[in-house]
Amino acid sequence: MDNRNIDTAHPATDAATNPAEPLDRLRQKIQDLLAEARRRGASAAEAAVSTSTGLEVGVRLGEVETVEHTRDQGLWISVYFGHRKGSASTSDLSMGAIRDTVEKACAIAGHTQEDTCAGLAPASLMATGALPDLDLNHPWDIDVDEAMRLAIACEDAARGADPRIVNSEGASFSSHAGLQVYGNSHGFVGGYPSTRHGLSCAVIGKQDDAMQRDHWWTTARAPGDLDDPAAVGRRAAERTLSRLGARRLGTCEVPVLFRAEVAAGLLRHLTGAIHGASLYRKTSFLLDRLGEQILPAFVRVSEDPLKPRGLASAAFDSDGVATRPKDLVTDGVLSSYLLDHYSACKLGLQSTGNAGGARNLSVDLGDLDRDGMLRALGTGLYVTELMGQGVNNVTGDYSRGASGFWVENGEICHPVEEITIAGNLLDMYRGLVAIGNDCDFPGSTTTGSWLIDRMMVAGE
Amino acid sequence: MNDTLAIARDRILTPAGLGDRELDRLVGALQSPAIDAADIYFQSSRLQSWVLEDGIIKDGNFHIEQGAGLRAVAGEKTGFAYSDELQFPALQQAAGAARAIAGGGHAGRIRISGVPVGHRLYAPLDPIGTLDDADKVALLHRVDAEARRADPRVTQVVTSLVAVQDTVLVISDDGRMSADVRPLVRLNVNVVVEQDGRREQGHSGGGARRDLEFFLDGDRAMGYAREAVRLALVSLEAEAAPAGSMTVVLGAGWPGVLLHEAIGHGLEGDFNRKGTSAFAGRLGERVAAAGVTVVDDGTLPDRRGSLNIDDEGTPTQCTTLIEDGVLTGYMQDRLNARLMGMPTTGNGRRESYAHLPMPRMTNTYMLAGDRDPAEIIASVDKGLYAVNFGGGQVDITSGKFTFSASEAYLIENGRIGRPVKGATLIGNGPDVLTRVSMIGNDLKLDEGVGTCGKEGQSVPVGVGQPTLRVDGLTVGGTSAG
């Protein structure tokens, strides 16, 4: 392996060692884009430019399988002629491409129609002044050999965990460093560097001629915050082994405990339903519910866009609006929508700084650990994985493929698969009995497991 | 059919100053004695989209992208680097990074030669220019008006039109250069209907590797508008779906997503080479009922899932996956075909130059049987008739798959009864097709709307099937009765 050769083609170091200079170059691109839009007669414009470089190394059965050097860049612009909008984007950051892209956006705006809400968010909402340091940039000057060693250590731990682990999909390492800058004709230009590193592993177990697969992963802004590779591998193996011997269930109506990482999905259905675009289009099952009780009184849901090292942290949203921590659900009552400027205008409200969605969601954790939650479940289904779509955002109707464990009197009896669970999200939220403190998965969302009083389980 | 090659050279290589001499050196730079295979994938794509909402054209977007992906393969190891700059020094650097997978060695020299592509399934046109922008906007307004005219309960209509031209040029390690110019158009309609405080939505749409006139032929786009409204109105009447295992009759066309999930992914070469698929090692075994024949066919003219060549330069073909119930073939890219000692099947696909190719489906469908669809429904005492679906998902290792019905009806005493709400269906890939007890004579392909995701890469695909009776599929409704 000739690493020198690789490092020369891996300009992450360029951005990493001196982030200020490339960031200034991207700020200049924004100025060039906005100036070109002005020159073409646009009354307002906004633009974003991003670059990112990375290394991805995949290993399988103890050998390197893929080495990928990634290098992405792109720019995007929206121009406004009064209330008419046009957009264009490209992966080419050259001056010629900037001119072409602005021209294309202006041509589009020649055919779009007057839309009173089209335009920039108010200047007063911009994230002006010094941006808070969210500690998102931790470049990792790692070479291919070291990346390979970490991935192999992870996969080895998984493969060595038990003789029933008979095969592997491999382990992969990734490290990415990026810069992103947004600016608009209010004069706001903001940008920051950020990094993200990760390690994941998936292995296959076999028992009685039936195979099962599961995986685990770790991801963080800083290399030092990643979990130990061997621990990630062992966790992947444990999860696979726990699924061996899975059976089906008879059709029944029982309480259902959602493992924390799948409970995060129930939270995402909630944030999707209070997003401005779903509300003004009336495609939300939580339409007009602001100020109403949608969850039991013990539930608080909040977002913290300014969380240091947060995987979804950002000091401004994709409209340039300053973000701020806030509650979305307080004492079970829906207390805030998630609005970007456009949808806020459509609803006659003000942006909540959520263009691009919710950032670093969390639910206040309860008192019970996993075993306590299983005891609270008593006899029923513990769901650990969901499959397929099957969620109707307009009505909240919910029907998904599932696998997990059958639980009797608080004790896990056996793994189950090839079943579905169904209900309606409004009823499921109302029927939330408890939230655990068993938050044990990586990512930007924090929640424990959720116990729902009753759902229909379909099987044999 | 070297016109596509000329178009691709002209569009991608000439502006970057890349002649045969530079290409010879780049392919050479990817090689060493330890390298088994290598290729360079050049791509240039242009996309234009329009969105109409609230009765007005709100936004449009134009996207331009180009780049090259360079790959070197040694045994099971792949080195990959890409660049969105097409200047020679940037590509040379990427070639060095990709080749490092196999250690040092001397660069070889290769003579580049263009080869004609295998098919001409679609014209190498730029669909963006096939209608004036004003006419595209007018088309969306007509679709919007048609949806609103169809029923007074329609409260919201969102329509979108997307046209893409993708030009690709592949140079393989033997110096073979091939190209494809791929048009793709798509029109979508989403409506919301409201009655007595209850709201539902309906989606419809279609697409093809054609010009935008496709949507004007026989007023096709107006049909999408009426279909979206019809689906939304059916949902307004729908009652709770049943829960449990039952006989399910699947409609013709898009319900073929069953095949895509239940067996398609499990028959992709990479999963079978690695032994991670529930179908691994089962060639020659019975995996479906007699009479079931399933193919993956990348050669259907104008279809969304079709390609003249795959993304490794291999001409696409029609591959029989299951013949009369017996597993006969896998879908392969070059890497997996070589490692498994099997022929390539033209299924090496990638989302873009920035992604590695892998075995992917094209148009996957079941051939027609001889039963009248009405006879199939009449044969069921109590069951579910599912005619429209959202997407699906599969765990290729356990074989478990789901797909979600968006339009379904109860069957009672051989008759189609009340509509029921959307429900997810779940089954086991290796045995679901053994439960197929009747196959209709009404094979239909989908309208050209499918997108398949695998390992984070999306590619356009097609599905199809005749009406099918499946005995014993689990239906995930809420009604115990």
Side-chain angles (χ1 to χ4, degrees):
Chain A
M1 182 85 29
D2 184 353
N3 291 318
R4 192 170 305 117
N5 219 343
I6 283 163
D7 285 339
T8 53
H10 184 43
T13 46
D14 169 35
T17 50
N18 186 4
E21 190 269 327
L23 203 52
D24 287 344
R25 216 168 52 219
L26 296 195
R27 285 173 188 276
Q28 187 55 50
K29 299 266 179 219
I30 295 284
Q31 300 298 1
D32 294 343
L33 278 159
L34 297 175
E36 181 66 14
R38 205 160 42 238
R39 200 182 66 74
R40 289 191 169 272
S43 51
E46 56 185 328
V49 182
S50 65
T51 63
S52 129
T53 57
L55 173 66
E56 295 175 12
V57 175
V59 304
R60 181 170 174 265
L61 302 178
E63 299 268 359
V64 64
E65 192 175 52
T66 55
V67 175
E68 298 186 49
H69 302 273
T70 71
R71 185 171 180 279
D72 298 288
Q73 58 181 32
L75 68 82
W76 154 92
I77 184 160
S78 284
V79 296
Y80 300 93
F81 289 77
H83 291 297
R84 287 184 297 109
K85 181 185 184 187
S87 307
S89 53
T90 177
S91 61
D92 185 350
L93 304 191
S94 69
M95 200 56 219
I98 284 178
R99 278 191 294 270
D100 288 351
T101 307
V102 174
E103 184 193 340
K104 297 284 189 205
C106 292
I108 298 263
H111 293 280
T112 55
Q113 292 167 286
E114 201 65 25
D115 177 358
T116 49
C117 287
L120 303 179
S124 59
L125 299 181
M126 295 295 118
T128 44
L131 294 175
D133 179 7
L134 303 180
D135 197 22
L136 306 179
N137 193 40
H138 298 270
W140 194 351
D141 188 15
I142 185 168
D143 63 26
V144 172
D145 282 343
E146 177 64 7
M148 226 163 72
R149 199 187 60 74
L150 293 175
I152 288 174
C154 180
E155 197 205 26
D156 278 353
R159 291 173 65 208
D162 191 285
R164 289 172 296 166
I165 300 292
V166 296
N167 200 347
S168 171
E169 280 188 5
S172 58
F173 167 90
S174 68
S175 175
H176 293 273
L179 297 168
Q180 39 192 320
V181 181
Y182 166 89
N184 61 37
S185 50
H186 286 320
F188 172 76
V189 181
Y192 54 91
S194 66
T195 53
R196 185 166 181 146
H197 318 287
L199 193 59
S200 66
C201 180
V203 287
I204 288 162
K206 193 171 186 177
Q207 179 177 304
D208 305 329
D209 259 1
M211 293 194 294
Q212 294 286 346
R213 164 208 183 275
D214 213 329
H215 71 296
W216 193 244
W217 76 104
T218 176
T219 177
R221 294 287 189 187
D225 292 343
L226 290 176
D227 292 339
D228 171 56
V232 172
R234 283 193 299 272
R235 185 89 182 261
E238 278 165 26
R239 285 162 61 101
T240 294
L241 292 167
S242 74
R243 298 165 77 119
L244 291 172
R247 293 182 244 158
R248 303 187 64 196
L249 280 180
T251 301
C252 55
E253 197 172 1
V254 289
V256 175
L257 178 63
F258 286 72
R259 182 151 76 184
E261 68 193 87
V262 289
L266 297 180
L267 206 50
R268 278 192 296 275
H269 298 313
L270 189 154
T271 56
I274 60 170
H275 198 276
S278 313
L279 296 168
Y280 85 75
R281 289 178 180 148
K282 301 193 176 187
T283 54
S284 164
F285 65 92
L286 291 174
L287 190 65
D288 300 329
R289 295 297 181 103
L290 195 66
E292 287 185 22
Q293 190 91 35
I294 58 166
L295 281 152
F298 67 86
V299 182
R300 175 172 169 261
V301 181
S302 57
E303 71 151 354
D304 183 4
L306 305 179
K307 183 180 176 181
R309 296 195 183 189
L311 288 166
S313 295
F316 54 88
D317 74 0
S318 39
D319 290 335
V321 174
T323 58
R324 58 184 169 82
K326 60 178 165 294
D327 278 6
L328 304 179
V329 174
T330 311
D331 300 331
V333 174
L334 181 59
S335 50
S336 177
Y337 289 146
L338 295 166
L339 305 178
D340 55 14
H341 165 65
Y342 182 81
S343 60
C345 170
K346 293 290 285 184
L347 294 165
L349 299 168
Q350 193 173 75
S351 169
T352 59
N354 287 100
R359 295 183 172 79
N360 304 316
L361 275 179
S362 69
V363 173
D364 287 1
L365 302 182
D367 300 324
L368 299 175
D369 61 9
R370 193 196 75 148
D371 289 344
M373 291 297 283
L374 286 173
R375 280 192 296 276
L377 169 67
T379 295
L381 180 66
Y382 179 35
V383 170
T384 57
E385 188 178 76
L386 292 167
M387 280 179 83
Q389 293 74 30
V391 181
N392 183 330
N393 302 316
V394 182
T395 59
D397 287 330
Y398 186 97
S399 167
R400 303 192 68 191
S403 56
F405 300 91
W406 180 247
V407 176
E408 283 180 13
N409 304 315
E411 300 283 333
I412 286 180
C413 294
H414 59 83
V416 294
E417 64 180 0
E418 204 183 332
I419 55 169
T420 61
I421 56 172
N424 181 282
L425 285 165
L426 288 168
D427 298 333
M428 290 159 67
Y429 292 155
R430 268 195 299 265
L432 176 62
V433 177
I435 293 174
N437 64 12
D438 48 349
C439 176
D440 58 353
F441 63 101
S444 64
T445 302
T446 304
T447 180
S449 57
W450 287 29
L451 175 58
I452 307 290
D453 63 349
R454 218 153 188 77
M455 291 187 73
M456 180 58 78
V457 177
E460 288 176 309
Chain B
M1 265 147 284
N2 268 321
D3 54 342
T4 52
L5 191 56
I7 293 170
R9 290 187 78 126
D10 194 46
R11 182 162 301 151
I12 303 173
L13 302 181
T14 310
L18 296 170
D20 282 358
R21 206 175 125 260
E22 287 76 20
L23 297 177
D24 285 355
R25 285 177 61 193
L26 284 174
V27 177
L30 278 171
Q31 298 198 323
S32 82
I35 297 287
D36 294 309
D39 58 14
I40 306 176
Y41 180 84
F42 290 95
Q43 182 182 25
S44 167
S45 68
R46 295 150 49 83
L47 174 153
Q48 189 197 48
S49 64
W50 298 94
V51 181
L52 182 147
E53 186 181 329
D54 294 331
I56 59 171
I57 298 290
K58 276 198 181 168
D59 198 3
N61 186 46
F62 204 102
H63 181 76
I64 302 174
E65 187 162 358
Q66 66 170 25
L70 295 88
R71 173 171 71 141
V73 181
E76 298 186 28
K77 299 177 180 151
T78 300
F80 179 58
Y82 59 87
S83 171
D84 38 34
E85 283 169 30
L86 295 183
Q87 307 307 315
F88 184 68
L91 297 179
Q92 215 174 16
Q93 200 179 43
R99 195 192 65 180
I101 192 82
H106 295 288
R109 280 192 67 86
I110 284 297
R111 179 62 58 84
I112 301 293
S113 67
V115 296
V117 295
H119 315 293
R120 175 140 174 188
L121 305 169
Y122 37 82
L125 53 85
D126 177 3
I128 297 169
T130 56
L131 270 187
D132 289 343
D133 288 347
D135 293 334
K136 295 170 196 165
V137 164
L139 170 63
L140 289 183
H141 276 294
R142 284 175 55 217
V143 172
D144 179 69
E146 181 70 9
R148 292 176 190 279
R149 189 200 58 76
D151 196 283
R153 289 168 287 182
V154 172
T155 58
Q156 176 75 250
V157 181
V158 181
T159 58
S160 63
L161 180 69
V162 183
V164 183
Q165 188 197 35
D166 206 12
T167 305
V168 307
L169 188 149
V170 192
I171 304 173
S172 54
D173 47 73
D174 55 6
R176 203 162 43 92
M177 176 158 64
S178 41
D180 199 6
V181 178
R182 302 167 176 169
L184 191 64
V185 295
R186 169 102 187 243
L187 194 150
N188 284 321
V189 186
N190 293 316
V191 304
V192 178
V193 295
E194 196 168 338
Q195 175 179 291
D196 305 331
R198 180 168 169 181
R199 279 186 314 278
E200 287 284 355
Q201 59 185 335
H203 314 281
S204 183
R209 294 203 178 279
R210 279 276 314 271
D211 49 52
L212 288 165
E213 297 280 334
F214 176 75
F215 298 117
L216 304 176
D217 296 347
D219 256 2
R220 194 187 306 261
M222 303 304 126
Y224 301 152
R226 292 188 292 270
E227 175 68 359
V229 174
R230 186 190 70 76
L231 286 167
L233 294 177
V234 168
S235 293
L236 270 184
E237 307 298 323
E239 299 172 12
S245 179
M246 62 195 71
T247 299
V248 176
V249 176
L250 298 168
W254 178 246
V257 68
L258 162 82
L259 305 172
H260 181 100
E261 304 298 351
I263 61 149
H265 280 295
L267 298 181
E268 289 167 340
D270 45 355
F271 299 132
N272 287 284
R273 170 174 67 82
K274 296 173 182 178
T276 59
S277 165
F279 287 98
R282 299 191 61 181
L283 274 184
E285 290 182 22
R286 173 162 296 281
V287 294
V292 171
T293 295
V294 180
V295 300
D296 182 81
D297 188 353
T299 69
L300 302 172
D302 296 337
R303 299 295 310 182
R304 181 174 164 87
S306 296
L307 298 171
N308 288 321
I309 52 169
D310 73 2
D311 294 323
E312 299 182 302
T314 308
T316 52
Q317 64 181 49
C318 178
T319 304
T320 303
L321 304 174
I322 294 173
E323 185 160 14
D324 199 13
V326 175
L327 182 58
T328 53
Y330 296 133
M331 289 165 279
Q332 299 285 12
D333 62 358
R334 289 177 67 202
L335 172 78
N336 289 287
R338 178 171 55 77
L339 292 171
M340 292 180 82
M342 289 181 170
T344 57
T345 57
N347 289 91
R349 304 185 63 185
R350 62 204 298 174
E351 181 177 307
S352 79
Y353 67 89
H355 299 85
L356 275 169
M358 55 185 152
R360 300 297 295 265
M361 285 173 260
T362 59
N363 304 296
T364 312
Y365 58 94
M366 185 187 293
L367 303 191
D370 56 8
R371 297 303 189 102
D372 182 337
E375 178 196 349
I376 296 178
I377 289 162
S379 75
V380 179
D381 280 343
K382 193 164 185 287
L384 189 77
Y385 178 46
V387 276
N388 262 297
F389 283 85
Q393 191 181 338
V394 62
D395 175 333
I396 51 116
T397 302
S398 70
K400 305 300 176 269
F401 70 92
T402 64
F403 59 135
S404 298
S406 55
E407 180 189 7
Y409 304 84
L410 294 178
I411 305 177
E412 284 161 327
N413 302 318
R415 288 213 182 84
I416 297 174
R418 305 170 274 135
V420 294
K421 287 184 180 186
T424 287
L425 277 58
I426 191 162
N428 181 36
D431 87 15
V432 67
L433 294 187
T434 64
R435 299 162 186 251
V436 170
S437 58
M438 295 173 96
I439 305 173
N441 57 12
D442 56 342
L443 167 63
K444 205 172 101 183
L445 299 174
D446 73 278
E447 294 286 338
V449 294
T451 298
C452 168
K454 174 177 172 184
E455 291 172 29
Q457 293 195 42
S458 295
V459 297
V461 295
V463 296
Q465 68 177 29
T467 297
L468 290 183
R469 173 178 160 149
V470 184
D471 295 336
L473 255 182
T474 298
V475 178
T478 53
S479 168

